[in-house]
Amino acid sequence: HPYAHLIDTLKDGSIKFFNPRKLGDPRYDKLPLSVRILLEEAIRNCDGFYTKEEDVQNILDWQQQQGKVEVPFSPARVLLQDFTGIPAMVDLAAMRDAVAKHGVDPNLVNPKCHTDLIVDHSLQIDYSKCAIQNAPNPGGGDSSNPNQHPSRSTPARPPSRVGSHCGGQRGSCSKTACSDPPTSSGRPVSVQQIENTPLLCPFHLQPVSEVETALRNQEMELQRNKERLHFFKWCSKAFKNVNVVPPDVGAVHQVNLEYLSRVVHVSDGLIYPDSVVGTDSHTTMINGLGVLGWGVGGIESEAVMLGQPVSLTLPQVVGCKLVGSINPLATSIDIVLGITKHLRQAGISGKFVEFFGPGVSQLSAPDRTTIANMCPEYNATISFFPVDPITLKHFRKTNFTEEKLELLEAYMKAVNLFQSYEESLEDPQFSEVITINLSSMVPHVSGPKRAQDRVAVSSMKEDFQSCLNEKVGFKGFHISKEKQDIRVPFLHCGQEYQLAHGSVVIAAVISCTNNCNPSVMLTAGLMAKKAVEAGLVVKPYIQTSLAPGSGMVTHYLNASGVLPYFNQLGFEVIGYGCATCVGNTAPLPEAVVDAIKKGDLVACGVLSGNRHFEGRLCDCVRANYLASPPLVVAYAIAGTVGIDFEKEPLGLTSEGKEVYLRDIWPSREEVQHTEEDTVISSIFKDLRRRMEKGNTFWNKIECPDSVVFPWDHKSTYIRSPPFFSKLSKDIPAPQSIENAHALLFLGDKVTTDHISPAGSIARVSAAAKYLQSKRLTPREFNSYGARRGNDAVMTRGTFASIKLHNRFIGKPGPKTLHIPSTQTLDVFEAADRYQRDGTPLIILAGKDYGSGNSRDWVAKGPYLLGVRAVIAESFEKLHKNQLVGMGIMPLQFLSGQNADTLELSGKERFSVTLPESLSPRLQLTVKTSNGTSFCVTALFDSEMDVMVFQHGGLLRYVARTVVKNSLRPGPDATEFAP
């Protein structure tokens, strides 16, 4: 090993580590701590092939090389959630088939990097408020007696049983509360079937098995997704180095924080920093614990799983200096959104952010993970908080032993990765420094359409009114003056209510990602307690829900005594997993929908999540706001976002006394005291016990003991994808694009939600037509996320967003122009016609193409539609990498040029000639059928990008590498290396 002389020891020589300080180079101690981790990894993995000594020297010379050179990074582990994890595992299963056809042992296709797959994204809200929702079993499944469910016109009520029961109405109770609740098929669910933290009936103080709502949603989740779970169970047995966390444990980021994070790894007597890449852009949440990690696409994660490092430009590192004291009324979400706004305005796209300064010590570990979670919203690669005394204090309350903490601290100090804020002389050198005063943070919400559009709560009423007045755009709805005061009456459960512009119809308290902080949830719970005690209620037509990130959250809400008060306001635990954020929301009551449509109302959703694009929660809910959990509860009680909390009361007591928000908002001291008493190590131990035990349904799933997966050709969930069809052993020559048509003509800010929508499958969509051809009913469609293992569904779902603005059409919708016939068709149907005619396709777009969440189908979908290139003004970097990873060329207009300046109608035919030898940042000429031409830059950032593109994408590159290496003689034949 070229750096064997840097090996040092701890614990009397029993633990070894590579110590970069033994280089004796003064530049090391001036590096940002995040770059020091990159350097340690490069030293440890220096093999002369993927990582060279030149890479180590480039990182050490970061001050001069930042932004100029590419360096490799091999993380310690890969994190997958099931929506993006299932296509990754399906691809690996298909790759086994492909290499087997070349006479290669399929057992060679295994993750070489430890991989954790968390099944958390399949939960849907079929039941809430201990009642059956209006659309029973909207995602399908095998309910044995669907006639048991009430019709859509039936008021939401729990199924009848002997005696009354807890939760039938807000605040009601039952003497039979301790009996097992029935399932949708009439069978009782016992605690052995779906284990979770036991809850207490607040009125009898006797244990019950679980909130009925959560149990029934969990049962529906397991039944609906049994094909996918069967495949995951096979993966856990067939692939080495894969750990599958079963459903009903928690959300991916929460599990990563509470269970999977290590801070340091010890393997074969060698200690080194923990690091991770995940198939979700919010993987950065782990940065709050001093763990380096970020989100990548599914195909990049597959490459890492197979031993290939991530290639990244040596990043610029922005130092974010925190000063000042936190406002007592400001929650973590306020700090998050405040920092988000500052950093977004600073223009730090693609850079590392590292926090330092005296203000950092005021932030708890949960505060830090909350801030790090929002990293994708200001387009940084990471938001890193180095390990410090606050981090160690956090781990003392979790599942770290004192021995492990001592080793962690000794190692971090030995390699100078432990941060102290006492001496400013210890501050690293950064590319630039941004100073943020924490005392300037005041409560905000974010919306109504984008996370970056922050609104001070004190200005919310006026801001919403201005949104009604503004033209349709990023904030405006353009409601005429005469229609702004309209009120639409409707009946719900026999009682009359009224809806108006700004009426809240969805209120979701979600505790994962940016609201995993216990103090935020406890603030909401203590406020709910005070609200109930003051006699305040939430109108019953508002779809309320409480989705804890894990059972730990339910545990501490129950232990602190606030969960019963959440329940009384209608915020009942609906299950564990991603629900409202990803569009897995049951339809609103028909009377509410009809009232919204009748008055053309701008109804509102309020959620404490991280995503809220227009129409994402529900098609008829146009205005959606991100807010802290206590503000979600406050707006739900108020019933409208058009309220000034300082001047207007939330409601009245039974005696007619006005109750203001300030009357029920708990003090910071009260919240901290409750947190200290409830968030303790036993909670984390309980999570570990539940994770290791799993649940009965998962444990009973049987799967074949086979090397290759036995594909079921009748399955509509799992299909062998066509990415390896006609796979040759040799690299094909670059294929020029001749006479391509534009499939779509798009504008600015096309997000991954527009390209590959999450949520439910619309009944009139191309995906729905395919599923109906397989004899599935709409109630069996499930969601796009759940069917990500079926390329036929996902290809048809590509560009199926109802909010897609295609300039060929002139109005939002999943349609495009088939240019030869001048017909308006579904995007998939048009692409299918082009492919049958042998016509290649391109996409024209504006600025920031592909912004938003990391989703591999935003590249896989266009690839299977026949798209060869995307020509845009600018690309979101992660999505650009995904396009290259699927063999699609990201072509960027030259500075100052776009489709309009070049007077492109989009109806021309386009040709791009590729030279035999490609190189990074190559300039190419695009010729059109009308005789004009223009230049574009091919965004291949490195030689690795060029190689991947020439192979036709990363999957084919990896498969060819496995085949070639298996045929290479010698002891290294099975190693993954080109």
Side-chain angles (χ1 to χ4, degrees):
H1 195 287
Y3 292 100
H5 60 286
L6 301 184
I7 293 178
D8 213 336
T9 61
L10 292 170
K11 296 185 67 174
D12 300 325
S14 61
I15 299 293
K16 296 181 179 180
F17 66 98
F18 285 90
N19 191 349
R21 302 183 80 176
K22 292 182 71 173
L23 288 168
D25 195 314
R27 292 175 295 179
Y28 176 75
D29 290 332
K30 296 179 182 179
L31 293 175
L33 275 74
S34 52
V35 177
R36 295 179 202 178
I37 295 175
L38 292 179
L39 179 63
E40 187 282 336
E41 181 280 323
I43 289 172
R44 176 167 38 89
N45 290 301
C46 188
D47 59 359
F49 179 73
Y50 280 128
T51 304
K52 303 176 182 179
E53 292 185 61
E54 179 186 359
D55 297 317
V56 173
Q57 293 304 315
N58 282 336
I59 299 173
L60 189 59
D61 194 27
W62 171 82
Q63 282 286 358
Q64 302 301 319
Q65 299 296 335
Q66 55 181 302
K68 298 178 182 178
V69 298
E70 291 282 319
V71 295
F73 175 62
S74 297
R77 56 193 176 92
V78 174
L79 182 70
L80 307 175
Q81 43 93 336
D82 56 324
F83 271 18
T84 48
I86 194 166
M89 301 311 296
V90 165
D91 289 344
L92 289 182
M95 191 184 297
R96 282 194 166 190
D97 294 340
V99 301
K101 291 178 181 178
H102 283 276
V104 175
D105 182 3
N107 273 314
L108 295 180
V109 178
N110 276 302
K112 287 183 167 52
C113 180
H114 179 81
T115 301
D116 294 298
L117 194 157
I118 292 85
V119 185
D120 76 325
H121 269 49
S122 54
L123 177 69
Q124 296 186 28
I125 306 176
D126 297 293
Y127 306 101
S128 71
K129 306 172 190 174
C130 275
I132 299 174
Q133 281 291 342
N134 296 318
N137 196 15
D142 293 324
S143 178
S144 61
N145 188 2
N147 295 324
Q148 282 188 297
H149 298 296
S151 66
R152 290 179 61 86
S153 61
T154 305
R157 287 288 185 268
S160 61
R161 47 196 279 200
V162 179
S164 60
H165 50 83
C166 288
Q169 295 179 346
R170 289 169 180 164
S172 67
C173 192
S174 163
K175 295 180 180 179
T176 61
C178 301
S179 61
D180 288 332
T183 66
S184 59
S185 59
R187 298 184 302 274
V189 178
S190 67
V191 72
Q192 285 78 26
Q193 283 181 285
I194 303 178
E195 293 85 4
N196 214 307
T197 307
L199 304 180
L200 294 180
C201 167
F203 306 102
H204 284 100
L205 298 181
Q206 293 186 15
V208 295
S209 61
E210 176 55 280
V211 177
E212 183 175 356
T213 305
L215 279 171
R216 304 191 72 180
N217 280 313
Q218 290 158 10
E219 185 197 40
M220 293 303 303
E221 173 189 4
L222 297 174
Q223 291 294 335
R224 174 186 291 124
N225 295 286
K226 59 184 180 181
E227 279 187 55
R228 298 168 63 246
L229 296 178
H230 177 268
F231 176 71
F232 285 140
K233 194 69 174 284
W234 175 82
C235 290
S236 68
K237 291 185 175 182
F239 291 109
K240 300 175 183 177
N241 235 0
V242 173
N243 170 47
V244 178
V245 177
D248 188 35
V249 170
V252 55
H253 307 299
Q254 199 87 357
V255 172
N256 192 25
L257 286 173
E258 297 169 11
Y259 182 77
L260 301 175
S261 63
R262 297 167 173 81
V263 186
V264 293
H265 279 263
V266 179
S267 177
D268 296 328
L270 183 70
I271 188 170
Y272 52 92
D274 186 16
S275 56
V276 61
V277 292
T279 54
D280 191 292
S281 54
H282 294 278
T283 302
T284 51
M285 197 172 189
I286 202 68
N287 298 162
L289 297 181
V291 177
L292 194 65
W294 60 86
V296 297
I299 46 182
E300 292 95 338
S301 69
E302 291 173 44
V304 175
M305 290 161 62
L306 289 167
Q308 180 182 332
V310 175
S311 179
L312 74 156
T313 303
L314 188 61
Q316 294 180 310
V317 182
V318 177
C320 186
K321 187 174 185 177
L322 302 183
V323 298
S325 301
I326 297 175
N327 187 309
L329 291 181
T331 64
S332 291
I333 190 67
D334 300 314
I335 304 299
V336 167
L337 295 178
I339 291 176
T340 297
K341 181 178 181 180
H342 280 285
L343 296 179
R344 181 177 285 275
Q345 292 173 342
I348 57 170
S349 179
K351 300 177 183 179
F352 279 20
V353 174
E354 188 170 308
F355 292 86
F356 73 109
V360 176
S361 61
Q362 299 178 58
L363 302 177
S364 66
D367 288 332
R368 300 173 187 191
T369 57
T370 304
I371 293 168
N373 165 72
M374 294 300 274
C375 178
E377 307 308 330
Y378 42 85
N379 288 327
T381 301
I382 67 167
S383 289
F384 188 72
F385 287 86
V387 174
D388 65 359
I390 303 298
T391 316
L392 298 182
K393 181 180 177 181
H394 167 75
F395 282 119
R396 280 193 174 89
K397 295 193 297 184
T398 60
N399 54 11
F400 276 48
T401 64
E402 278 300 320
E403 182 182 7
K404 186 174 182 179
L405 282 171
E406 289 173 3
L407 177 61
L408 187 159
E409 183 175 0
Y411 170 72
M412 297 306 254
K413 288 182 176 179
V415 294
N416 204 10
L417 289 175
F418 193 84
Q419 182 67 292
S420 171
Y421 306 104
E422 298 175 359
E423 297 288 340
S424 60
L425 294 177
E426 296 182 10
D427 291 340
Q429 295 180 358
F430 296 102
S431 307
E432 61 178 299
V433 173
I434 299 172
T435 301
I436 298 178
N437 192 333
L438 295 177
S439 61
S440 67
M441 307 298 177
V442 295
H444 282 77
V445 296
S446 181
K449 300 180 182 181
R450 303 188 305 173
Q452 61 264 39
D453 295 325
R454 299 175 66 236
V455 184
V457 173
S458 58
S459 305
M460 180 64 168
K461 185 174 183 178
E462 294 78 11
D463 187 82
F464 182 75
Q465 185 64 43
S466 70
C467 290
L468 295 181
N469 294 326
E470 289 181 17
K471 292 183 179 180
V472 175
F474 293 137
K475 290 197 69 170
F477 297 101
H478 201 212
I479 304 298
S480 60
K481 292 285 186 181
E482 62 273 12
K483 293 184 178 181
Q484 289 184 10
D485 295 326
I486 188 173
R487 292 185 174 274
V488 182
F490 68 98
L491 288 176
H492 179 76
C493 295
Q495 187 170 345
E496 184 174 303
Y497 300 92
Q498 289 186 338
L499 289 182
H501 294 294
S503 290
V504 174
V505 294
I506 296 176
V509 173
I510 301 162
S511 73
C512 69
T513 61
N514 52 310
N515 284 293
C516 70
N517 193 323
S519 67
V520 181
M521 291 297 291
L522 290 172
T523 300
L526 291 170
M527 195 180 79
K529 178 177 183 291
K530 294 185 177 186
V532 170
E533 291 171 345
L536 300 180
V537 297
V538 175
K539 294 180 177 65
Y541 63 80
I542 298 176
Q543 190 179 90
T544 51
S545 60
L546 172 58
S550 75
M552 187 204 78
V553 181
T554 305
H555 187 115
Y556 71 67
L557 291 178
N558 185 59
S560 62
V562 300
L563 190 60
Y565 300 98
F566 268 127
N567 294 344
Q568 288 196 51
L569 291 180
F571 292 94
E572 293 197 349
V573 176
I574 54 88
Y576 302 91
C578 288
T580 305
C581 273
V582 293
N584 289 350
T585 304
L588 297 173
E590 283 193 353
V592 173
V593 175
D594 291 343
I596 293 172
K597 292 181 178 178
K598 182 178 179 180
D600 191 26
L601 299 177
V602 180
C604 297
V606 187
L607 70 154
S608 58
N610 60 55
R611 290 289 179 185
H612 68 326
F613 298 119
E614 182 180 6
R616 177 161 177 158
L617 306 190
C618 182
D619 291 351
C620 61
V621 181
R622 287 189 275 173
N624 298 294
Y625 289 91
L626 301 182
S628 63
L631 285 176
V632 172
V633 176
Y635 280 114
I637 294 172
T640 179
V641 298
I643 182 175
D644 185 334
F645 287 131
E646 286 295 319
K647 301 177 182 178
E648 301 174 59
L650 287 173
L652 303 175
T653 66
S654 56
E655 293 80 21
K657 180 184 176 181
E658 293 181 338
V659 180
Y660 290 82
L661 179 61
R662 58 180 173 269
D663 298 327
I664 62 173
W665 191 281
S667 68
R668 194 172 184 85
E669 292 73 22
E670 184 180 0
V671 173
Q672 289 177 343
H673 177 73
T674 305
E675 181 179 9
E676 291 170 1
D677 287 348
T678 56
V679 184
I680 55 178
S681 60
S682 62
I683 294 173
F684 290 86
K685 290 177 182 177
D686 179 72
L687 173 69
R688 179 176 290 274
R689 177 191 61 79
R690 292 190 307 108
M691 285 200 49
E692 293 174 351
K693 186 177 180 181
N695 63 59
T696 303
F697 187 97
W698 171 261
N699 294 337
K700 288 184 177 180
I701 292 177
E702 295 182 356
C703 63
D705 185 15
S706 57
V707 175
V708 294
F709 185 68
W711 306 98
D712 180 358
H713 298 293
K714 296 180 180 179
S715 173
T716 56
Y717 278 97
I718 309 294
R719 251 175 55 126
S720 181
F723 302 129
F724 303 99
S725 61
K726 300 179 181 179
L727 178 70
S728 62
K729 293 181 181 179
D730 299 318
I731 306 174
Q735 299 293 313
S736 297
I737 300 174
E738 299 290 343
N739 294 318
H741 271 303
L743 177 63
L744 295 161
F745 192 3
L746 307 173
D748 297 340
K749 302 286 184 182
V750 174
T751 71
T752 52
D753 269 29
H754 294 117
I755 305 171
S756 180
S760 59
I761 298 172
R763 297 190 179 195
V764 295
S765 66
K769 295 174 185 177
Y770 165 79
L771 292 173
Q772 286 171 334
S773 73
K774 300 296 182 180
R775 299 185 178 181
L776 296 183
T777 63
R779 68 189 299 166
E780 296 172 307
F781 285 175
N782 211 324
S783 63
Y784 280 111
R787 293 191 182 275
R788 264 182 164 159
N790 184 331
D791 63 275
V793 171
M794 296 308 296
T795 306
R796 288 163 173 81
T798 304
F799 297 110
S801 169
I802 61 171
K803 299 302 177 183
L804 180 71
H805 286 264
N806 182 3
R807 293 173 64 175
F808 283 150
I809 303 301
K811 61 181 180 180
K815 301 288 184 179
T816 195
L817 178 69
H818 181 251
I819 296 171
S821 67
T822 70
Q823 288 182 285
T824 298
L825 302 172
D826 286 334
V827 174
F828 171 78
E829 292 174 354
D832 187 50
R833 283 198 189 183
Y834 283 126
Q835 289 202 66
R836 282 189 273 119
D837 294 338
T839 303
L841 296 172
I842 66 163
I843 291 173
L844 294 174
K847 299 175 182 177
D848 299 326
Y849 181 79
S851 58
N853 288 67
S854 164
R855 293 185 187 166
D856 55 348
W857 275 104
V858 295
K860 289 180 177 178
Y863 171 83
L864 293 180
L865 288 175
V867 174
R868 297 281 308 280
V870 178
I871 306 177
E873 284 188 71
S874 63
F875 293 83
E876 198 278 330
K877 183 178 180 181
L878 179 57
H879 181 56
K880 185 274 298 181
N881 293 339
Q882 292 170 329
L883 292 175
V884 174
M886 284 308 302
I888 298 175
M889 281 193 295
L891 304 178
Q892 184 169 293
F893 289 109
L894 299 186
S895 179
Q897 293 185 350
N898 56 38
D900 292 330
T901 63
L902 295 170
E903 299 182 348
L904 299 177
S905 69
K907 297 180 182 178
E908 304 90 347
R909 302 195 78 158
F910 300 85
S911 298
V912 183
T913 302
L914 298 183
E916 290 186 7
S917 177
L918 300 178
S919 60
R921 310 295 294 190
L922 182 69
Q923 193 167 106
L924 300 171
T925 300
V926 180
K927 297 180 180 179
T928 68
S929 55
N930 61 15
T932 63
S933 63
F934 57 94
C935 292
V936 294
T937 301
L939 297 184
F940 304 133
D941 289 337
S942 65
E943 292 294 341
M944 179 61 74
D945 279 358
V946 172
M947 181 184 294
V948 167
F949 175 75
Q950 288 178 319
H951 274 271
L954 196 53
L955 291 173
R956 299 173 78 86
Y957 165 65
V958 170
R960 282 196 183 97
T961 302
V962 173
V963 171
K964 287 182 65 176
N965 287 349
S966 68
L967 302 177
R968 178 194 301 171
D972 296 326
T974 61
E975 292 300 318
F976 173 73

